[in-house]
Amino acid sequence: MKTHTFAGAAMLAALLASSPLHAQDRADTEAEEQDAPAIMRIPPPRNVIARRQIERIRELDDAGPELNAVIVYDQEAYRTMGRSMVKGPLLGRTVLVKDNIETREFPTTAGSLALANNYTGRDAPLIANLRNAGGVVLGKTNLSEWANIRDNASTSGWSAVGGLTRNPYAIDRNSCGSSSGSGAAVAAGFAWGAIGTETNGSITCPASINGIVGFKPSIGLVSRTHVVPISSTQDTAGPMTKTVRDAAMLLGAIAGTDTADPVTLTVPNRKQKYTDGLSEFSLEGVRIGVMRNQIGNREDVKTVFETALADLERAGAVLVDIEFEPDTAMYGDSFTVLMFELREEMGKYLRSLPEMEGQDTPRSLTDLIAFNAAHADKEMRWFGQDLFELAETTTDREVYETARANAVRIAGEETLDMLLAENTVQFLVAPTRGPAWTSDLVNGDNFNGSIGFGSPAAIAGYPHLTVPMGRVEALPVGISFFGAKWADHEVLKLGAAYERARTAELPGPTFERWKAE
C-alpha cells in the first residue's frame, strides 16, 4: 500500500484549479475539437502536459487528500516520451490503465497481494494498440480488488494493494467500482484518459459517479487477452475520459482484432475512426426510448434527468416513453455464468503467468482462496471471499451453458432488441446511477438499485455510454445511452450531440469532504 504525506486539501484544490494545467488542458481540448486542418492545430508539447499531470498525481494522490486512484506511475514519463509525442493519432496523450490489464513495465496485480510481483513483461494487445496509436502509458490505476468479484460485502474501490480510492468531488464518498481508480484519476486531471474494464457496471458506474464519460463497447471490439478475467461472456475494456470525443479517440486506439480472443474476429464492419461524424450528428428526428421505470425513486435524480430529456427534445430528438420491467431470470442466469467462468478463466490466466520473483505464483482459483486465508489480516480484514468460494463449487457445465443461453437471449433479443424494434426507436436512455454514497469499509457499499438500466447491455454485450448530465448536492450524476449490438459509433455520436445540447451546470472536484450546498 502506498504511503503519503499530508497537505491541506482545500489549499491544493484552490492552487490547482487556478494553475496553468487546467487552462492549458482546456485550450488544448478546445483547439482539437474544432476539427480544423492539422497544420492549423498546434497542441502544446505533450511532455509539458505529462509533467503537469505527474505533478498533480504527486500533490493530490501521493499527498494532499490522498485519492489513492493511482497505484504506480512513471515519474519520468515526460522525459522519455520521445517519438510517441508525434506518432499516431493520439499524439503522445497520456493514459492510465486499470491494474488488471497487463503492461510490460508495471506489475499487474488486480489489486491483490497474491499478484504483487506479477511482472509479466507483456503488453495486452489493447495496450500494444494504444502505443501504436501514439498513446503513452503513464501508470496503473487502483480498482476494486479482483474487479469486485471476491465477496458480496465488498466496498467498491478498495484493494489490498492500493487501499481505498476516494472520490475527487467529495473524498469521504465512494468512487464506485470496479474501475474506481480510472474514474477518479480522469476526474482529478491525472491523465488525458484512462482505460477501465467492465463485466456489469464497472466502467459506467465509476464514470457517472466521478463526473466523466465512460463507454462500455460491444463485446468483441476490444481484445481481452492478458486482462485478468471474470467472464468471457461479459468482460470488456473501454475508455474513460472527459469528453465523448476523447472516448471515441481512445476507443479507436485500443480496439482491434486478436486471434487469441476469437470474439474479436466476429465484429462486422470495424471502424478505424470512431470520431468520424461526431461533430455533425444531429438529433433532429432521432427517436429515443425513455426507460421510465428505470429512473428510480429519487426525485432529485429525476429532476436532473428531466432537464437532460428537455435538452434532447430541444435539439430535435423525438422522445418515446417506455414502461418496461425486464425478465429478472436473466440476473440469476448471468450470475451462474459469472461464477462458472470465473473459476475456469481465472485458472487459464494464472497458468499463463511467468513465475513471480519472491513469492509463490498462484495457478488456480483454489490457490487464490488459500492465499487470502493465509493473509487474512491484510486481504480479508474488511470483507471475505464468499464469491470466490462459490465459484470454486460452480462446476456443472450443462447448467452453465443453459444459463448462458438464457441470459444472453433475455438481455439481448427479449429486452434491448425488442424495446428498440417495438417502439421504433434507435436508442434507449436512462439515468446511469444516483450520486456517490459515503464510503464504509465496515458495512460495504450502499447502492441504490432502483436507478439505471445497465445490466441488459452488460449481459448481452451491447454498447453503453454514460455522459455527465448534472449534479445532485454537488455530486455528479450521469445519463446512459444504449443502442443495438455493434451500434457503438452511433451511440457515441448520440452522446456527443447530447454534450452539445446539455444546459445543466456540472460540478467540479473539491478534493474535500462532502458539504451540503
Side-chain angles (χ1 to χ4, degrees), residues 33-48:
E33 288 186 346
Q34 290 173 357
D35 284 331
I39 195 170
M40 297 177 63
R41 297 199 307 273
I42 306 176
R46 297 293 176 189
N47 59 342
V48 173

Side-chain angles (χ1 to χ4, degrees), residues 130-374:
L130 175 74
R131 296 190 205 270
N132 289 336
V136 175
V137 176
L138 186 58
K140 305 292 281 291
T141 54
N142 199 9
L143 68 161
S144 308
E145 186 170 317
W146 297 114
N148 235 355
I149 197 66
R150 201 188 82 190
D151 191 85
N152 272 314
S154 65
T155 297
S156 292
W158 181 90
S159 73
V161 171
L164 179 64
T165 306
R166 297 180 173 90
N167 191 314
Y169 288 84
I171 61 173
D172 54 337
R173 299 264 164 169
N174 203 269
S175 285
C176 200
S178 63
S179 305
S180 49
S182 295
V186 172
F190 294 164
W192 168 74
I195 300 172
T197 65
E198 174 161 328
T199 304
N200 191 339
S202 289
I203 289 173
T204 53
C205 182
S208 176
I209 277 179
N210 286 282
I212 65 169
V213 172
F215 185 60
K216 185 206 78 70
S218 295
I219 302 297
L221 257 63
V222 181
S223 165
R224 287 86 54 86
T225 299
H226 302 331
V227 179
V228 182
I230 294 176
S231 163
S232 58
T233 298
Q234 295 182 206
D235 287 352
T236 185
M240 303 175 73
T241 59
K242 287 288 184 69
T243 69
V244 174
R245 182 176 185 80
D246 288 350
M249 288 181 66
L250 186 50
L251 176 64
I254 64 176
T257 58
D258 172 21
T259 56
D261 186 0
V263 71
T264 66
L265 307 179
T266 68
V267 179
N269 304 317
R270 272 192 178 273
K271 289 195 65 66
Q272 298 301 312
K273 287 188 65 179
Y274 287 90
T275 55
D276 287 348
L278 261 63
S279 300
E280 298 80 25
F281 184 76
S282 171
L283 287 170
E284 190 66 40
V286 175
R287 290 175 60 85
I288 303 173
V290 181
M291 302 306 299
R292 285 290 171 187
N293 291 0
Q294 286 71 39
I295 295 174
N297 57 13
R298 290 191 60 133
E299 286 300 317
D300 46 12
V301 172
K302 181 179 180 181
T303 297
V304 176
F305 184 58
E306 292 295 342
T307 297
L309 294 179
D311 291 340
L312 290 167
E313 212 163 25
R314 192 178 304 108
V318 178
L319 302 184
V320 179
D321 284 348
I322 298 175
E323 301 280 348
F324 175 78
E325 291 294 343
D327 182 348
T328 58
M330 70 175 164
Y331 303 128
D333 286 332
S334 171
F335 183 70
T336 297
V337 170
L338 301 190
M339 292 297 95
F340 185 92
E341 292 184 347
L342 172 62
R343 178 185 54 81
E344 285 212 334
E345 292 167 19
M346 184 67 76
K348 291 177 184 176
Y349 174 77
L350 294 172
R351 289 190 292 275
S352 80
L353 299 179
E355 289 290 335
M356 293 189 294
E357 186 176 345
Q359 68 177 115
D360 292 336
T361 306
R363 298 299 184 189
S364 66
L365 185 60
T366 302
D367 291 348
L368 297 181
I369 292 170
F371 179 92
N372 291 334

Side-chain angles (χ1 to χ4, degrees), residues 422-439:
E422 290 193 358
N423 295 281
T424 323
V425 295
Q426 188 176 354
F427 307 102
L428 303 173
V429 65
T432 307
R433 286 284 186 183
W437 59 92
T438 303
S439 292

